[in-house]
Every structure is written in C-alpha cells, then in structure tokens.
Amino acid sequence: DAGVIQSPRHEVTEMGQEVTLRCKPISGHDYLFWYRQTMMRGLELLIYFNNNVPIDDSGMPEDRFSAKMPNASFSTLKIQPSEPRDSAVYFCASTRSTGEEKLFFGSGTQLSVL
Amino acid sequence: DAKTTQPPSMDCAEGRAANLPCNHSTISGNEYVYWYRQIHSQGPQYIIHGLKNNETNEMASLIITEDRKSSTLILPHATLRDTAVYYCIVRVSTGRRALTFGSGTRLQVQP
C-alpha cells in the first residue's frame, strides 16, 4: 500500500501565479479531504469529497481556491491567483466509509508564495 | 463535535510512560474519542480511538473515565521518536467523516 500520495512536495511560486496541488488517495477509499496547516491557525479542513462529490466546502477560504475530484484516484486543489497568505502546508487525507474510521494523511505540500 | 481541552506541552523521559490527558466534558453518548499525532514535517497519524471501554493497540493505550468526560493516552515506553504533537478529537462515528483538529499537546521526549 503506497499510502496517500501528494505532489509536489514543495512548491515555491510568485504572487499572482496559479498553483495546483495534487493528491492520489489510497485505492478503495471513498472519502478524500484537503487540510491546510499554518502556525497561526493550525490544521484546518478546507473541503472533503465522498465518492468524488464535494460534500462540504465551507472551509475553502475564498473563490481563489477550487478543488476537483474527476475520478476516485485523483484530486486537485487549485489556487488562482495565489497570495503570500496562502503559504502553508497542504495535506490530503483519505478514508473509507466501511471498516475502521482512520484518516490516512499524505506527506503534504509545502507551499511558499513570494 | 464536542470540544476538547489538552495541555499545550509536556515533557517525558525516554523509556518512561507518557500520559497525555484530554478533557471532553461535553461529550455525548454517540461520540468517540480519537487520538492522532503529528511528527514534525509529516502528516497526522492515527493512534487509537474508543467509545467507552479502555483500548490498547501496538502503539498506545486509551483510558476513558467512566463518565467519559476525560481520557488519557498512554505511551508505555516513550522513545525519542514519539516526540510529536498529539491531538485528542471527539466526534460521532457516522455521517460527517471529517476531523476537526485543535491545538494538541506537544510532547517532548527527553533523552
């Protein structure tokens, strides 16, 4: 089991640029979550999907953020245009609706917007 | 989901038991207690969860008081690799699957 795979591991970009973060959940998991972590605000839930459908996006900061899940094995989180305050570590996690309720997290993407 | 209260930081000597407390006085009957930890620069990792009874696995033990208003995570023989932030989370087991993380307890295991 490869676990939750996120890419890139690090991203450095300039203000105003578009940023796309990618996530591959664990095979067979039907829930996918995007979290953001900063020193000031800790771990915040941005959005989560069930069977590729967004269920709760109330944590998405503003219209500059969008997330998609075109199929069960891939999701993207896009920021357009990016701003310095978006600098954070973005985590993707997945779990399944049956069996033990454990969230499995990826290694995160460290985003720096200059 | 019920609110939890944890001390911001704790120290523990290597090889000794680490006992991390969590208060969840507003917990309701259908809410579970979950523990996750986050080692520096990594994603959070599931440790253990329970409803009423004490639980033990290969990582830790979870002791839940009879009134369920508090719990303790026990790492029986802490190692330097257990240095991390430990999160206590309370939530129902059905419906919304997302977890809400608080600020956790930063455990420093000292050599």
Side-chain angles (χ1 to χ4, degrees), chain B residues 2-110:
Chain B
K3 179 180 170 57
T4 61
T5 303
Q6 299 178 253
S9 64
M10 293 182 63
D11 285 344
C12 176
E14 189 178 18
R16 303 296 295 271
N19 297 283
L20 294 96
C22 180
N23 286 320
H24 31 78
S25 58
T26 61
I27 193 170
S28 58
N30 63 347
E31 288 184 310
Y32 284 69
V33 180
Y34 287 81
W35 283 84
Y36 280 73
R37 74 178 181 184
Q38 187 175 23
I39 296 171
H40 182 61
S41 299
Q42 298 181 20
Q45 175 191 26
Y46 167 87
I47 301 173
I48 198 167
H49 75 282
L51 181 64
K52 295 181 184 178
N53 301 321
N54 299 336
E55 302 286 345
T56 296
N57 63 21
E58 65 279 4
M59 291 182 69
S61 294
L62 173 60
I63 308 298
I64 303 174
T65 58
E66 192 168 342
D67 63 7
R68 305 209 321 123
K69 292 185 177 182
S70 66
S71 60
T72 301
L73 178 75
I74 301 173
L75 308 178
H77 305 287
T79 70
L80 297 179
R81 289 177 295 179
D82 293 321
T83 292
V85 177
Y86 288 77
Y87 298 97
C88 170
I89 303 163
V90 172
R91 50 149 282 189
V92 296
S93 66
T94 57
R96 187 175 186 269
R97 289 268 164 159
L99 294 174
T100 301
F101 289 82
S103 52
T105 296
R106 183 171 299 276
L107 175 68
Q108 181 70 50
V109 180
Q110 306 284 359

Side-chain angles (χ1 to χ4, degrees), chain A residues 30-32 48-55 69 97:
Chain A
D30 52 353
Y31 280 85
L32 184 139
Y48 77 95
F49 296 82
N50 179 218
N51 291 322
N52 313 335
V53 176
I55 303 300
M69 193 164 186
S97 54

